[in-house]
Amino acid sequence: AQSVSQHNHHVILSEAASLELGCNYSYGGTVNLFWYVQYPGQHLQLLLKYFSGDPLVKGIKGFEAEFIKSKFSFNLRKPSVQWSDTAEYFCAVNAGGFKTIFGAGTRLFVKA
Amino acid sequence: DAGVIQSPRHEVTEMGQEVTLRCKPISGHNSLFWYRQTMMRGLELLIYFNNNVPIDDSGMPEDRFSAKMPNASFSTLKIQPSEPRDSAVYFCASTPRGRGLAGGNEQFFGPGTRLTVL
């Protein structure tokens, strides 16, 4: 069965620090990959997505993610975080069916 | 365009009562998903529909939970009878007709219904 693993459940950073959140998935075929963000008290919103092409994907608010097929990974990065990036981040994978598998989420807290 | 609409936004009820949550997907979207989110279990997929037909309800926790999608613009999730452990935020999401991988597009989430069962 497909699965998505997010390595960190909680991350605490100071403003201006660099961010990298790990995501690995288990599926050997072609996949669509997503990162969603959930700000406190809000619903999930799409941060960025990868369907095909350039494996380095740029999203909103300065986030980017790199798809490394050989490692089954899709890590999220941001060079310099802000207090407003405090949120929960979900990696998600779709392997061609209707169902998208979500990771358990990583809670990011950015200290001002 | 209006996004996914859910109602009510908040629901407080007593154990044993019937609860009905409602969702209106984005017009033109053909897949609809119901999720439950709690601190303990995170985001759980309960059931999803494609073209109004339930495809997979294996995530529905018990027979007390049921979902319907009578037409392309409306879905309900019903809990009868409700229990305190059903307290959670319930999200509805919809997906447009897929491009590339069939059905593999991004999901658009509604604002959620925060359910509290006393």
Side-chain angles (χ1 to χ4, degrees):
Chain A
Q2 301 163 31
S3 67
V4 178
S5 175
Q6 293 186 236
H7 311 305
N8 309 97
H9 293 296
H10 294 90
V11 174
I12 302 174
L13 294 173
S14 297
E15 274 195 315
S18 64
L19 170 72
E20 180 159 5
L21 302 182
C23 173
N24 286 91
Y25 63 93
S26 63
Y27 183 73
T30 304
V31 293
N32 291 340
L33 299 160
F34 309 85
W35 275 98
Y36 288 81
V37 60
Q38 185 178 26
Y39 297 104
Q42 297 189 26
H43 60 283
L44 277 76
Q45 306 169 47
L46 183 71
L47 203 54
L48 48 79
K49 60 187 176 184
Y50 171 80
F51 284 177
S52 63
D54 188 344
L56 184 61
V57 180
K58 295 193 183 297
I60 59 172
K61 303 186 179 184
F63 286 90
E64 64 179 30
E66 184 176 13
F67 170 50
I68 302 179
K69 189 174 181 179
S70 61
K71 295 184 177 180
F72 300 93
S73 70
F74 190 55
N75 292 354
L76 180 70
R77 299 194 292 249
K78 185 171 184 178
S80 176
V81 295
Q82 301 173 313
W83 177 79
S84 57
D85 293 324
T86 294
E88 188 161 14
Y89 294 81
F90 294 89
C91 180
V93 175
N94 181 284
F98 299 109
K99 189 173 177 179
T100 294
I101 309 297
F102 284 81
T106 297
R107 288 179 181 267
L108 171 66
F109 180 74
V110 180
K111 297 184 290 184
Chain B
D1 284 339
V4 175
I5 299 172
Q6 290 187 247
S7 64
R9 295 293 307 276
H10 300 272
E11 176 81 29
V12 180
T13 191
E14 291 187 343
M15 182 174 63
Q17 297 298 306
E18 177 180 298
V19 174
T20 299
L21 310 181
R22 297 173 176 79
C23 176
K24 177 179 169 54
I26 294 173
S27 177
H29 286 195
N30 68 332
S31 294
L32 182 141
F33 305 80
W34 281 102
Y35 292 90
R36 178 172 69 177
Q37 186 178 40
T38 61
M39 287 290 292
M40 292 297 295
R41 297 189 173 200
L43 191 66
E44 302 174 275
L45 176 63
L46 301 177
I47 184 172
Y48 62 98
F49 297 83
N50 183 252
N51 293 328
N52 312 337
V53 176
I55 302 300
D56 184 350
D57 66 354
S58 60
M60 297 286 260
E62 298 172 36
D63 292 345
R64 297 184 296 105
F65 286 70
S66 63
K68 294 181 180 180
M69 191 164 186
N71 57 62
S73 59
F74 183 65
S75 176
T76 59
L77 178 67
K78 185 178 294 186
I79 308 173
Q80 166 63 19
S82 58
E83 296 183 4
R85 58 194 168 118
D86 301 332
S87 297
V89 180
Y90 290 81
F91 288 104
C92 175
S94 67
T95 301
R97 197 172 299 276
R99 53 184 169 84
L101 291 183
N105 260 330
E106 67 184 272
Q107 296 192 6
F108 292 78
F109 284 78
T113 295
R114 182 173 294 276
L115 173 65
T116 302
V117 183
L118 302 174

